[in-house]
Amino acid sequence: MRLRLLAAASLLLASRLAAQAPAQYPTSWDPKLADRADIKAAMSLLEKNFPKQIDEWIALTEMPAKSGQETKRGAYVKTVFEKEGLKPTIDSIGNVIAVRKGTGGGPTIAIMAHIDVVFPNETNKKVRRSGDTLFAPGVGDNTASVGNMLATLRTMNATKFVSKGDIIFIATTQEEVGLKGAEYWLAHNKAPDLLIVPDGAYGSVAYGALGIYWTRYVFTSPGAHTLASRGRPTPVRAVAEAIDRLYQLQFPALPDGAVMNIGQIHGGNIFNAVPQELYFTVDLRSSDPVLLDSLDRTITRVTKEVADKQKVGLRVEVEQKNQAGGTAKMLEGARAHPIVQTAVDINRFLGMSAGMPGAQEAVATGATDANPGVVRKIPAIAIGGSKASGAHQLSEYALASSALPSTKLLYLLTATFADGVKTVGSSKVVP
Ligand SMILES: [Zn+2]
């Protein structure tokens, strides 16, 4: 009886487990790679040089690098590339690019780490260190990753890593103001076979792209003195009515729905006049390109209706339109590319899987330089560069020690694919 109960219970458990078993995705990860002589040497070299990597990370963090003003950090990265025997170039948006040539016949892998920060150059970025914690604006987003990328290159050179495909190291600019550097590079260069972006949540792999539309709706009128304002059209009423109507729009929530935020209202500058101009801004986000576009059109239509009703002018200024990569369902193909599961498996191998609270091992979204790759159907993922918190805030911090496994992840991931997916472990090891 007891046995039978037990058997029934275990059957039930087994069927429940089967029902919950996650989908299997192709992976190129082979733990044996970690035993290969050059990879072993690389891992121990990363460990040995890690204190220096932290010093460089701190030095980079303290350099001014507001979006569009990244020249100082860019020049530093260029110097490192040169010291490593590469021939870096700087393109017209300020991206610093260096190609580490492969022997031929393998996939081209682009690694992009953005060097810009949201903070003005005057912001105090002096790093304060307390135990393992580094406090400074920009320390996590995304300076840790820049250091990880440089450490990866140095270690590849020191251990004479041989790849078939080219590895392109790119320090990108203006990520924080619409992924502009990454977008520019992808628009002006041959698409890489793989795009790896160190940025985002530690222990998690982002393979999607949250679409982000920023629009400014500017209402205009001839204006009037208060004494002559009675009954006159005023942009103020238009703004108030439009915003009220926009917040009544019904649509599903993220992750596969959308989110809208009106983050700014500006205009007018005196008490005693009808303002000539008043605007509000809309930050609209969705991974679903169809929903994103239809909501964007609806918002513009509603705003136009209100402007007509209130008899004021309307100017629609598009600040940025970062395209959406697709819902989780639309991105099933992207999820099935081995780059995603390989990164998940290496995260597990290194014990860093979904290492931040609330993070998932793989997510069909993202707001990094990987986005323009996802939109172009290039296999592209973002992987975190450190355990960090408080991005875009003065109180930002990162755990110093966490950049080491993040760098190992970047290295192992690149090494896995550098010889072509099918030939992992068979590359020539140069002692
Ligand atoms: Zn950021």
Side-chain angles (χ1 to χ4, degrees):
M1 181 68 182
R2 257 197 182 180
L3 261 178
R4 233 187 279 160
L5 255 181
L6 203 65
S10 60
L11 252 179
L12 191 71
L13 189 69
S15 67
R16 278 216 187 132
L17 281 175
Q20 288 169 356
Q24 292 293 308
Y25 295 105
T27 183
S28 300
W29 173 238
D30 179 357
K32 285 204 285 293
L33 180 73
D35 294 329
R36 211 173 74 183
D38 69 315
I39 300 292
K40 264 191 163 166
M43 294 301 108
S44 51
L45 201 58
L46 283 175
E47 283 161 25
K48 184 173 151 251
N49 289 337
F50 191 59
K52 274 192 268 172
Q53 184 180 332
I54 298 176
D55 290 344
E56 182 174 59
W57 175 9
I58 291 172
L60 276 162
T61 306
E62 293 178 348
M63 289 177 198
K66 183 183 162 54
S67 306
Q69 299 165 22
E70 306 92 340
T71 30
K72 205 159 176 199
R73 274 195 203 179
Y76 178 85
V77 171
K78 185 169 178 265
T79 308
V80 174
F81 285 165
E82 281 162 351
K83 271 191 196 147
E84 290 305 310
L86 306 183
K87 292 190 177 64
T89 53
I90 299 184
D91 66 16
S92 44
I93 201 165
N95 294 317
V96 186
I97 306 123
V99 182
R100 190 178 186 276
K101 293 297 285 179
T103 54
T108 300
I109 303 173
I111 300 173
M112 282 183 176
H114 78 83
I115 51 175
D116 62 313
V117 291
V118 296
F119 307 98
N121 290 343
E122 310 81 75
T123 305
N124 179 11
K125 288 186 283 295
K126 188 103 192 101
V127 176
R128 182 169 64 83
R129 194 168 178 175
S130 167
D132 190 38
T133 312
L134 304 177
F135 293 92
V139 69
D141 179 16
N142 190 35
T143 321
S145 300
V146 179
N148 298 356
M149 181 172 78
L150 298 180
T152 296
L153 169 62
R154 282 195 188 101
T155 308
M156 283 182 169
N157 284 354
T159 57
K160 299 189 167 56
F161 177 81
V162 176
S163 68
K164 282 186 181 158
D166 294 349
I167 302 170
I168 311 175
F169 294 88
I170 311 168
T172 61
T173 58
Q174 300 192 43
E175 188 268 355
E176 300 287 7
V177 289
L179 320 172
K180 292 199 174 94
E183 183 65 52
Y184 182 91
W185 189 83
L186 286 167
H188 291 87
N189 292 276
K190 187 172 176 287
D193 296 302
L194 297 168
L195 173 59
I196 300 172
V197 174
D199 191 5
Y202 179 95
S204 184
V205 181
Y207 61 94
L210 188 66
I212 304 175
Y213 288 6
W214 286 357
T215 314
R216 195 179 292 108
Y217 293 94
V218 189
F219 295 92
T220 58
S221 83
H225 189 284
T226 301
L227 289 171
S229 68
R230 193 170 172 121
R232 290 273 184 96
T234 167
V236 174
R237 288 188 67 176
V239 163
E241 187 179 341
I243 291 174
D244 185 45
R245 280 191 58 187
L246 293 183
Y247 273 110
Q248 288 177 47
L249 292 175
Q250 300 287 319
F251 50 86
L254 292 179
D256 276 344
V259 67
M260 179 201 75
N261 174 49
I262 293 171
Q264 307 176 69
I265 307 179
H266 288 287
N269 37 30
I270 48 175
F271 281 79
N272 46 6
V274 167
Q276 289 185 300
E277 245 184 52
L278 208 62
Y279 72 82
F280 65 87
T281 59
V282 172
D283 179 3
L284 179 68
R285 302 176 175 222
S286 176
S287 291
D288 182 345
V290 180
L291 180 64
L292 186 62
D293 276 326
S294 90
L295 273 174
D296 181 49
R297 279 194 302 271
T298 303
I299 289 168
T300 300
R301 177 179 51 76
V302 167
T303 307
K304 181 94 184 66
E305 276 170 19
V306 171
D308 291 347
K309 185 182 156 205
Q310 295 291 343
K311 299 185 169 57
V312 295
L314 175 67
R315 208 165 68 233
V316 180
E317 297 174 356
V318 176
E319 179 73 25
Q320 68 170 59
K321 271 194 174 183
N322 286 131
Q323 301 305 316
T327 61
K329 216 172 154 41
M330 292 171 185
L331 286 178
E332 264 166 14
R335 178 64 181 86
H337 187 282
I339 186 88
V340 182
Q341 191 58 36
T342 302
V344 169
D345 288 343
I346 299 174
N347 268 328
R348 289 179 186 165
F349 176 79
L350 294 169
M352 55 192 289
S353 191
M356 289 295 279
Q360 287 170 268
E361 286 192 306
V363 289
T365 184
T368 69
D369 280 344
N371 287 32
V374 173
V375 170
R376 287 173 170 79
K377 313 281 184 218
I378 298 167
I381 55 167
I383 52 173
S386 67
K387 260 188 194 176
S389 186
H392 300 189
Q393 295 164 54
L394 294 174
S395 57
E396 187 174 357
Y397 66 87
L399 300 186
S401 59
S402 66
L404 180 58
S406 293
T407 310
K408 287 181 174 177
L409 165 65
L410 178 61
Y411 198 102
L412 292 173
L413 188 61
T414 310
T416 296
F417 288 98
D419 292 333
V421 176
K422 298 245 158 56
T423 56
V424 171
S426 67
S427 92
K428 257 189 271 168
V429 179
V430 182

